[in-house]
């Protein structure tokens, strides 16, 4: 073997290692793309399920009242849309939050969540979501995330599809604050159908994608973490 052959062999090995590493990065990226596309497919399937659910009242006998929730209108308090639908039960909590009395607002939310006299489960879900917003506002982002995920599960189980969309939005905001931009971006995609929230979702989705794409290809922060659960609104 000539003296140049070991050098050539080392160069060949180095090139193979480089190509292998580049292929690993590309494979990881493509796998993440497949995962994200699969989750977006779930999202569109959930939209179809929601649309079919919303059409049910129109199939009822003529003259029967429709049970559809009207388009959400209200006042924005940060990332929270205060609407007439939940105002009577949540007004005290919202007022305490406006006054920056976070602990009192959280306590008022807990009182609604835990009070079994509230037969309207929807109000309890709204209280849980408002509690999450207040927690995030005072720096308890991990707790807020856990609260929104619990609200999302309850909303989905009870077929409160618009509330599930609100929960996905609030979940996305929490992920954004935790600098988990890929997860945040997906949550905003899953909240895109939410009445009253479309403009806000669009803004946050744009910000999430900007931050996600600011990381270089191959950086784990650019991709959805393995094991992440989309918790789509159409889940059963």
């Amino acid at each position: 073997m000539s003296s140049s052959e070991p050098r050539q062999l080392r160069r060949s090995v180095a090139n193979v290692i480089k190509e292998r590493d580049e292929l690993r990065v590309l494979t990881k990226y493509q796998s993440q793309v497949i995962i994200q596309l699969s989750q977006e497919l779930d999202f569109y399937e959930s939209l179809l399920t929601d649309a079919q659910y919303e059409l049910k009242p129109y199939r009822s006998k003529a003259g029967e009242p429709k049970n559809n929730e009207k388009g959400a209108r209200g006042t924005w308090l940060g990332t929270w849309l205060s609407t007439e639908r939940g105002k009577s039960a949540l007004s005290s909590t919202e007022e305490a939050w406006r006054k920056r009395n976070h602990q009192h607002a959280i306590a008022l939310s807990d009182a609604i969540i835990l009070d079994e006299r509230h037969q309207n489960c929807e109000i309890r879900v709204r209280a849980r979501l408002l509690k999450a917003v207040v927690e995030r506002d005072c720096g308890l982002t991990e707790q807020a995330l856990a609260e929104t995920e619990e609200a999302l599960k309850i909303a989905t189980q009870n077929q409160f599809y618009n509330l599930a969309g609100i929960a996905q939005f609030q979940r996305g905001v929490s992920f954004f604050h935790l600098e988990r931009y890929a997860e945040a971006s997906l949550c905003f995609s899953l909240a895109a159908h939410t009445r009253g929230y479309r403009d806000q979702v669009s803004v946050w989705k744009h910000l999430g994608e900007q931050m996600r794409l600011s990381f270089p290809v191959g950086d784990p922060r650019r991709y959805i973490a393995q094991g992440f659960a989309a918790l789509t609104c159409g889940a059963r």
Side-chain angles (χ1 to χ4, degrees), residues 29-76:
Y29 171 71
Q30 296 295 349
S31 297
Q32 289 292 339
V33 169
I34 291 170
I35 291 170
Q36 185 147 0
L37 288 174
S38 297
Q39 290 171 337
E40 289 185 7
L41 177 61
D42 287 342
F43 163 60
Y44 285 112
E45 288 177 347
S46 77
L47 279 185
L48 179 59
T49 302
D50 291 353
Q52 291 170 333
Y53 177 77
E54 293 290 345
L55 283 172
K56 284 182 181 178
Y58 294 98
R59 298 180 186 138
S60 59
K61 292 185 293 184
E64 287 186 359
K66 294 188 288 290
N67 195 30
N68 283 9
E69 181 180 339
K70 295 180 181 179
R73 296 179 182 177
T75 304
W76 282 100

Side-chain angles (χ1 to χ4, degrees), residues 1 9 32 58 64 78 87 99 129 176 207 216 222 227 230:
M1 179 181 291
L9 182 58
Q32 289 292 339
Y58 294 98
E64 287 186 359
K87 196 160 188 173
K99 293 178 179 178
L129 289 170
F176 186 93
L207 288 173
R222 190 182 174 103

Side-chain angles (χ1 to χ4, degrees), residues 165-182:
I166 296 171
Q168 285 286 16
F169 171 72
Q170 297 298 348
R171 189 180 181 219
V173 175
S174 292
F175 276 125
F176 186 93
H177 283 283
L178 292 169
E179 299 183 0
R180 293 177 60 181
Y181 302 116

Side-chain angles (χ1 to χ4, degrees), residues 5-226:
E5 288 180 352
R7 287 197 297 272
Q8 291 175 348
L9 182 58
R10 283 195 292 269
R11 281 197 296 269
S12 296
V13 169
N15 287 334
V16 170
I17 291 173
K18 181 181 178 182
E19 291 177 7
R20 181 204 63 188
D21 291 344
E22 288 175 352
L23 184 59
R24 279 179 175 172
V25 170
L26 181 60
T27 302
K28 182 176 181 180
Y29 171 71
Q30 296 295 349
S31 297
Q32 289 292 339
V33 169
I34 291 170
I35 291 170
Q36 185 147 0
L37 288 174
S38 297
Q39 290 171 337
E40 289 185 7
L41 177 61
D42 287 342
F43 163 60
Y44 285 112
E45 288 177 347
S46 77
L47 279 185
L48 179 59
T49 302
D50 291 353
Q52 291 170 333
Y53 177 77
E54 293 290 345
L55 283 172
K56 284 182 181 178
Y58 294 98
R59 298 180 186 138
S60 59
K61 292 185 293 184
E64 287 186 359
K66 294 188 288 290
N67 195 30
N68 283 9
E69 181 180 339
K70 295 180 181 179
R73 296 179 182 177
T75 304
W76 282 100
L77 307 173
T79 59
W80 175 256
L81 181 59
S82 175
T83 65
E84 291 298 325
R85 194 171 184 84
K87 196 160 188 173
S88 59
L90 301 176
S91 58
S92 297
T93 307
E94 292 175 347
E95 185 61 25
W97 179 36
R98 280 194 192 97
K99 293 178 179 178
R100 311 301 294 169
N101 192 342
H102 294 94
Q103 292 305 316
H104 185 48
I106 290 172
L108 289 170
S109 296
D110 281 335
I112 297 171
I113 294 166
L114 299 173
D115 191 346
E116 293 182 357
R117 291 176 298 175
H118 283 284
Q119 297 299 317
N120 188 343
C121 182
E122 182 180 345
I123 291 299
R124 294 163 78 175
V125 174
R126 289 181 184 276
R128 195 178 288 276
L129 289 170
L130 179 54
K131 177 185 176 183
V133 174
V134 176
E135 287 177 330
R136 191 172 59 237
D137 191 40
C138 60
L140 302 174
T141 309
E142 292 280 4
Q143 289 179 223
L145 177 59
E147 204 72 60
T148 56
E149 293 192 333
E150 182 63 24
L152 178 55
K153 290 174 185 175
I154 297 170
T156 300
Q157 288 166 2
N158 288 276
Q159 299 183 345
F160 299 148
Y161 296 119
N162 209 60
L163 270 183
I166 296 171
Q168 285 286 16
F169 171 72
Q170 297 298 348
R171 189 180 181 219
V173 175
S174 292
F175 276 125
F176 186 93
H177 283 283
L178 292 169
E179 299 183 0
R180 293 177 60 181
Y181 302 116
E183 288 85 351
S185 184
L186 178 58
C187 288
F188 295 138
S189 292
L190 295 171
H193 69 288
T194 309
R195 289 185 294 277
Y197 278 74
R198 290 188 180 98
D199 290 343
Q200 282 273 3
V201 167
S202 179
V203 170
W204 281 91
K205 169 73 175 176
H206 179 69
L207 288 173
E209 278 297 286
Q210 277 190 321
M211 296 303 296
R212 184 182 72 82
L213 295 174
S214 68
F215 298 118
V217 174
D219 189 312
R221 292 171 295 179
R222 190 182 174 103
Y223 312 108
I224 295 169
Q226 188 174 4

